[in-house]
Amino acid sequence: MMVAKESSRGKDLLKNTGIIGFGTMCTKALAFLLLPLYTALLSTSDYGTFDLVTTIGTLFVPIVHLQLSQAIFRFAAEARGYEDDMASILTAVYIESGVLALIYAVVFFVAAPFITLPYKWVLLPYVLVNVALQLALYTARGIGDNVTYTLGSFVSASLTVVLNVVLLVGFSMGIDGMMLSCCLGPLFGTAVISLRTCPWHYFRPSLWSVTRARDLTRYALPLMPNEISWWALQSADRVIVATALGTAANGLISVANKFSTIYSTVFSVFNASWTEQVILHYRDEDGKDFIRRTVDVTVRFFSALFLLILAVMPFLWPIMVNAKFSDAYGLVPFYMVAVYANLFTGLVSPIYLVNNESRKVMEATIVSAVVSIVSLVALMGPLGVYAAPVSTIIGYGLVAVMRVVDIERRHMHVGLDARVLVSTFVLAGATAAAYFIGGVAANCICLGLCLTFSVAINRSSAIALIGEFKDRKKHA
C-alpha cells in the first residue's frame, strides 16, 4: 500500500511538472535561441535600459499586489471541492486586488513627473497587466487546472517573444518594440486564462468576509517583503550597476544571466509542482520520507544539469552571443554557481509554507538580501561588474544555508548527500578553470568528466524510471 502511494505521488509530481513545464520551457527555449538576434540588433546600452525598466517593474508587482496571488494558491488548493469556500477566497482576493491596482495608478500619476527613469510610463501598464496575469495564473492553479496555468504562461511568454521579433525585425522599432511586447504578452495571457477558468463565476460579493480577507492578507503580507528581498538578491545588482557603471554594463549582466536562466527555469518548473506536492502530502504518514527521497533525486539531477551547462558554455557562447557583448563571457560561471546555490532554498521552502510560516520565509531572505547589497557596494570598487555575480553568490548561498539549517533543526532531516555535493563542487571548479583558461582539449576533457559523473549519480533513478515506464506499458 505504501509503495502504491509513493508511486502515485511520484507520478503526480512528474505529471504536474510535465504539464507546467511544457509551455514554460518551449517559450524560454525560444527566447534563448533568439539571443543572437537581440544582441545583434540592440546596443549594450539599449539592452541594459530595457532590462533596467522591466527589472524595476518586476519589483513593483509584489509591492502593488502584496503577494495575494500566493495566498490564492495556498488556501484554494485546500478548498478544492468546496464551492463556497473557493468563491469566498477568490472574491476576497479579487476585491483587494482591484483596490490595490487603483491605488497604484493614482500614486503613479502623482509621482511620474518627478521620475527621471527612461521609459517610465511603461511601468504603469507593465505592472498592472502582470498583476492581472498573476491573479489569473494562480486562480487556475488554485482550482487545480494546471493545463490552463501552463497554457496561459505559454501564451503570455510566446506572444511576447513573437512580438519582439515582429517589432524588432519587421517594424525596426528597437527598444520601443520590446517595451510594447512585454505589456501585450501578459495581457493576452490573462485573457486566455480568464476565458477558460471563468473567474467571474467565483466572484460573489455576498460571500465577502472581513475575516477571510484578513487571513489571506495576514498570510500574504510577510511574503511581500520576502519577494522584495528575492528581487534584491536577483535583480538589485542591475539597478546598482546601471547607476554606478552605466546601462551598457547592465546590458552585459543581462546577457550573462540568460545562460543561468536556462537552469533556474528548469528548476522553477519543477519547483512549482514540488510546492503543491509538499502542501498536499507533507502531513501523510510517510510524508517526510517522501520529501527526503525526492530531495535526494532532485539534487542529483540538478547537480548534473549545473555541471553540463557549465561544461558546454565555451562551445555555445560564440554561437549565441554577438561579439560586442564579449565582456559578459566571464560573468556566466559565477551566475551558474549562484543559481545552483538557490536550488537548495527552493527545495526546502515549501515546508515553511505548509506550516504557515511565511514570516520565517521572510526573515532569512531579508538578511541575505541586505548582505548581498552591502557586498555588491563594497566589492564594486575592486571587482567592477564582477561584483554583481559575486554578491549574488553570497546572497543565495547565505539564504540556502539559513533555510536548510533551520528546517533541519525545527522540522525534518533533509538528508543531503555530502558526497554528491563535494564531488559537484570539485568538478565545477575544474570546469570553471578550463572555461577561463581556454583550450579545446581542456574543455572537452571537462565535458567528458561532467557527463560521466552525471550519468553515474543519476543511474539508479533513471533505471527505476525506465522500469516503471515499462510496467505501465505492460499493464496498459
Side-chain angles (χ1 to χ4, degrees), residues 70-409:
Q70 295 291 331
I72 291 178
F73 178 55
R74 171 64 183 87
F75 289 93
E78 294 182 346
R80 293 171 188 170
Y82 302 93
E83 188 175 338
D84 285 348
D85 280 350
M86 183 71 75
S88 176
I89 290 166
L90 294 177
T91 297
V93 173
Y94 293 160
I95 290 175
E96 286 190 71
S97 300
V99 172
L100 291 169
L102 181 61
I103 292 172
Y104 170 68
V106 171
V107 171
F108 183 86
F109 277 111
V110 171
F114 306 99
I115 300 173
T116 58
L117 180 72
Y119 292 91
K120 62 185 177 183
W121 289 104
V122 173
L123 291 174
L124 180 59
Y126 181 86
V127 171
L128 292 179
V129 297
N130 276 283
V131 166
L133 180 63
Q134 288 298 306
L135 268 177
L137 286 170
Y138 281 92
T139 295
R141 287 210 72 195
I143 64 177
D145 191 350
N146 285 329
V147 172
T148 294
Y149 174 89
T150 299
L151 179 62
S153 299
F154 178 78
V155 169
S156 174
S158 60
L159 187 60
T160 300
V161 172
V162 169
L163 286 173
N164 274 337
V165 175
V166 171
L167 298 179
L168 272 175
V169 179
F171 291 88
S172 301
M173 290 180 65
I175 189 174
D176 296 315
M178 295 191 74
M179 294 292 187
L180 181 60
S181 301
C182 70
C183 293
L184 291 177
L187 182 63
F188 280 93
T190 302
V192 168
I193 298 171
S194 298
L195 288 173
R196 287 176 62 91
T197 59
C198 302
W200 48 86
H201 290 165
Y202 300 99
F203 183 67
R204 302 178 192 172
S206 61
L207 293 177
W208 162 263
S209 165
V210 174
T211 302
R212 175 78 77 183
R214 184 193 62 206
D215 290 344
L216 291 167
T217 305
R218 183 179 293 170
Y219 173 81
L221 206 54
L223 295 176
M224 189 260 284
N226 174 70
E227 188 68 17
I228 294 172
S229 299
W230 271 117
W231 178 90
L233 281 169
Q234 297 168 335
S235 307
D237 57 346
R238 303 186 190 188
V239 177
I240 295 172
V241 166
T243 303
L245 303 178
T247 54
N250 185 51
L252 298 177
I253 290 175
S254 180
V255 169
N257 259 302
K258 296 300 181 189
F259 295 90
S260 57
T261 298
I262 301 170
Y263 182 91
S264 58
T265 298
V266 175
F267 178 68
S268 67
V269 166
F270 166 81
N271 204 42
S273 181
W274 171 238
T275 300
E276 183 174 358
Q277 291 300 304
V278 173
I279 290 173
L280 294 175
H281 300 296
Y282 178 80
R283 303 193 191 283
D284 289 355
E285 182 181 350
D286 64 333
K288 292 182 180 179
D289 288 333
F290 165 68
I291 290 171
R292 202 161 17 247
R293 287 189 292 271
T294 307
V295 165
D296 180 61
V297 172
T298 304
V299 168
R300 289 170 182 271
F301 174 80
F302 282 99
S303 294
L305 182 61
F306 161 63
L307 289 172
L308 291 174
I309 292 176
L310 196 59
V312 301
M313 275 305 307
F315 308 101
L316 193 60
W317 179 270
I319 300 171
M320 298 301 301
V321 181
N322 190 277
K324 61 189 173 187
F325 286 84
S326 59
D327 289 342
Y329 178 75
L331 301 171
V332 177
F334 293 98
Y335 279 116
M336 284 302 306
V337 172
V339 294
Y340 180 67
N342 194 37
L343 160 72
F344 303 96
T345 300
L347 284 174
V348 302
S349 291
I351 297 172
Y352 286 118
L353 299 182
V354 77
N355 287 289
N356 290 328
E357 293 182 340
S358 50
R359 187 174 295 276
K360 278 288 183 183
V361 172
M362 173 185 70
E363 290 170 358
T365 316
I366 289 177
V367 171
S368 301
V370 171
V371 171
S372 177
I373 292 174
V374 170
S375 301
L376 172 60
V377 174
L379 295 172
M380 194 172 296
L383 297 183
V385 72
Y386 280 84
V390 171
S391 65
T392 303
I393 292 172
I394 294 171
Y396 278 179
L398 181 59
V399 73
V401 170
M402 290 178 69
R403 289 197 184 174
V404 170
V405 169
D406 185 54
I407 291 295
E408 289 269 1
R409 180 175 61 85

